[in-house]
């Protein structure tokens, strides 16, 4: 069970003097049930709690306990976990999680970070939306250097008593599970065979090497193959960064695909996870951010850009985040009170994720490269 302090924000002290002055774009029915149009789509352990707390402070709302499954909370729940837990979603049940009388500004945000890496979630969401809603949806994704993210996740599992394994043991176990999971999948063999062709990509438009157009095409191919492995089936291919919404919706999503969580090691393979989302929604609807940038840049302008992208009508005061311990905690790499991985295991994770980072950079040339995994503390 997740501790309340991570998911409910109704009693948190205000960080800003901003407030929403008018309603957000919304889609509510005559019964007061609303379909969120703003999604914090992950990544897990990459600062989504901090981003949500900022949004909540200016007036956005989370889900309602009556339909979220977390019976001891009343409202403003950050994570509903609905899209990761149902095979065929019910629009009436989902919209009843977000009630208009609980949120006067109609600025609903669904902030379950697991939505990013569970293969069918975007298809489940698109299945419930009409064409206009699909076109209005906004997705905010903040990514974290994957080795740091993985170790932080394993520490969290121990801290919340969801695992009795030491971090080192959990890494070895996760590697073994992934090796068994991917061993007989031809898409995995095809994807890894293409890694070398991305080594010469000109990610930052420098002279020499392979042109960015060719890099992007190879990256899309590898990302689609990785998504097929993670999903256990063929996803609708990500063929472009623009989606014809008329071609989606109205059918049960991704029949035969892996309905739940893929192995833990794959959660740091970000490019395939973008396939899950971008096979259903357009790239222009996605704001892709880096936790490294979040830690190093001015948080007021950073947060304001998120509000503007999400079309939340609020302006943040210049000194809003000067004393925010919640936001400052998002910059911590690891919990110093928990055990660490051995340096050899950390390096093995770094080698595993390195080519997938390269796929991400080729797919998204403007995305800033992650800090070195060598900065992650080890023993």
């Amino acid at each position: 069970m997740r501790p309340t302090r991570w998911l409910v924000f109704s009693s948190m002290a205000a960080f800003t003097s901003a407030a929403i002055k008018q309603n957000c774009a919304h889609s509510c029915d005559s019964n007061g049930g609303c379909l969120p149009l703003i999604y914090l789509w992950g990544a897990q352990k990459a600062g989504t709690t901090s981003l949500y707390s900022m949004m909540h402070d200016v007036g956005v709302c989370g889900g309602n306990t009556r339909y979220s499954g977390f019976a001891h909370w009343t409202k403003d729940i950050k994570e509903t976990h609905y899209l990761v837990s149902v095979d065929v979603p019910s629009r009436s049940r989902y919209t009843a999680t977000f009630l208009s009388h609980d949120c006067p500004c109609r600025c609903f945000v669904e902030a379950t970070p697991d939505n990013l890496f569970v293969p069918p979630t975007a298809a489940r969401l698109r299945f419930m939306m009409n064409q206009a809603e699909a076109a209005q949806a906004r997705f905010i994704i903040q990514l974290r250097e994957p080795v740091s993210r993985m170790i932080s996740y394993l520490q969290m599992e121990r801290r919340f008593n969801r695992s009795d394994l030491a971090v080192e043991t959990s890494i070895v176990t996760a590697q073994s599970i992934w090796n068994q999971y991917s061993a007989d999948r031809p898409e995995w063999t095809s994807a890894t065979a293409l890694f070398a062709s991305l080594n010469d990509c000109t990610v930052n438009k420098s002279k020499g090497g392979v042109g960015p157009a060719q890099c992007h095409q190879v990256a899309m191919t590898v990302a689609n193959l990785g998504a097929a492995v993670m999903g256990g089936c063929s996803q609708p291919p990500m063929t472009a960064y623009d989606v014809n919404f008329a071609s989606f919706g109205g059918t049960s999503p991704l029949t035969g695909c892996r309905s739940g969580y893929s192995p833990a090691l794959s959660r740091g393979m970000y490019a395939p996870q973008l396939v899950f989302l971008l096979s259903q929604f357009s790239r222009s609807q996605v704001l892709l951010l880096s936790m490294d940038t979040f830690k190093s840049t001015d948080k007021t302008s950073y947060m304001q850009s998120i509000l503007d992208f999400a079309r939340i009508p609020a302006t943040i005061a210049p000194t809003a985040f000067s004393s925010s311990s919640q936001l400052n905690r998002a910059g911590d790499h690891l919990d110093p009170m928990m055990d660490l991985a051995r340096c050899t295991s950390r390096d093995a994770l770094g080698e595993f994720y390195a080519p997938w980072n390269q796929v991400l950079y080729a797919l998204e040339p403007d995305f800033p490269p992650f800090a070195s995994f060598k900065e992650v503390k080890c023993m």
Side-chain angles (χ1 to χ4, degrees), residues 232-313:
C233 66
S234 295
Q235 300 283 324
M238 179 181 64
T239 56
Y241 269 21
D242 243 346
V243 169
N244 174 13
F245 287 112
S247 66
F248 292 95
T251 59
S252 181
L254 303 185
T255 301
C257 291
R258 188 180 183 91
S259 61
Y261 288 41
S262 53
L265 203 65
S266 66
R267 299 178 193 180
M269 296 160 46
Y270 297 129
Q273 297 168 45
L274 292 178
V275 172
F276 304 147
L277 181 59
L278 295 178
S279 66
Q280 305 293 328
F281 298 92
S282 292
R283 177 62 182 85
S284 61
Q285 296 173 262
V286 179
L287 181 63
L288 194 62
L289 304 169
S290 169
M291 186 172 165
D292 289 341
T293 304
F294 175 79
K295 293 187 300 178
S296 62
T297 194
D298 173 66
K299 289 183 174 58
T300 299
S301 60
Y302 188 87
M303 294 299 188
Q304 187 64 57
S305 68
I306 292 174
L307 295 183
D308 293 344
F309 174 80
R311 299 169 301 176
I312 297 173

Side-chain angles (χ1 to χ4, degrees), residues 202-246:
T202 52
V203 176
N204 295 315
K205 302 181 178 64
S206 59
K207 294 181 179 180
V210 181
Q214 182 178 344
C215 288
H216 190 270
Q217 187 58 52
V218 173
M220 289 181 69
T221 300
V222 177
N224 282 320
L225 289 167
V229 177
M230 287 184 66
C233 66
S234 295
Q235 300 283 324
M238 179 181 64
T239 56
Y241 269 21
D242 243 346
V243 169
N244 174 13
F245 287 112

